[in-house]
Amino acid sequence: MKSKVLLVMTVVIMAVMFAGCYNDGRGTYYPDSTEMVKNLRDKGYEVTVEEVEEGRHLDAQKGDEFIEFYWMKDETYCDKLTDDLKERHEKIDKLSSTTKSPDFGNIIFCSTKKAMDASGIQIIEVNTGA
C-alpha cells in the first residue's frame, strides 16, 4: 500500500515539475506575424509589418520598449542581419537567430524583455549546468 501511495505522489510531483518547465505546454513558441501584431497592438505598441526582399519584417515600439522580428525566406542573410541589429540597438535584452527550424523556419529578432513578453514569444531555455 505504501508503495502505491509513494508511486502516485512521485507521478504527481513529476507532473507539476514538467508543467512548470513548459508553462503552457508548448515549449518554445514564436507567434506568426498576424498573432504577434495583434498581441503587440493589444498592449499599446505601434506596429509596422513590411515585406522585404529577404522575407517579412515586424517593427514595434512603445516608448523605450521595442521588438524587431524577421521571418526570413532562407538563412543567407541571417548572420549579417543579426550583426546589423546589434549595431542598431543599444538596449537589447534578447537577441536570437534561428535557422532551418522545422517549426519556425529562419527567424531573427532583437527585443526588450517587456516587448518580447507582449509579443507572445515564449522561450524555454534549458540549463545544462555547463
Side-chain angles (χ1 to χ4, degrees), residues 31-41 45-52 55-61 66-71 85 88-89 108-111 115 119 121:
D32 64 19
S33 62
T34 304
E35 181 182 348
M36 198 176 293
V37 166
K38 180 185 181 326
N39 292 343
L40 289 162
R41 285 190 176 148
Y45 285 78
E46 290 184 35
V47 182
T48 59
V49 178
E50 62 181 338
E51 296 298 324
V52 293
R56 178 174 290 147
H57 172 235
L58 175 143
D59 184 36
Q61 304 279 327
F66 73 91
I67 185 168
E68 271 198 73
F69 200 104
Y70 290 85
W71 293 267
L85 289 171
R88 242 187 348 247
H89 298 283
I108 301 167
F109 80 94
C110 72
S111 177
S119 74
I121 294 171

Side-chain angles (χ1 to χ4, degrees), residues 3 15-16 18-19 24 31 40 43 48 59 62 76 78 90 101 108-109 112:
S3 63
V16 169
F18 284 121
D24 64 2
L40 289 162
K43 301 283 185 182
T48 59
D59 184 36
K62 180 180 173 185
T76 305
C78 289
E90 291 180 23
S101 165
I108 301 167
F109 80 94
T112 58

Side-chain angles (χ1 to χ4, degrees), residues 26-33 35-36 56 69-75 78 96-109 120-124:
R26 290 188 292 205
T28 296
Y29 176 70
Y30 299 99
D32 64 19
S33 62
E35 181 182 348
M36 198 176 293
R56 178 174 290 147
F69 200 104
Y70 290 85
W71 293 267
M72 307 294 287
K73 294 176 184 172
D74 62 46
E75 70 276 4
C78 289
S96 181
S97 175
T98 302
T99 58
K100 299 180 183 177
S101 165
D103 295 324
F104 306 109
N106 304 298
I107 56 174
I108 301 167
F109 80 94
I121 294 171
Q122 177 178 311
I123 299 176
I124 304 300

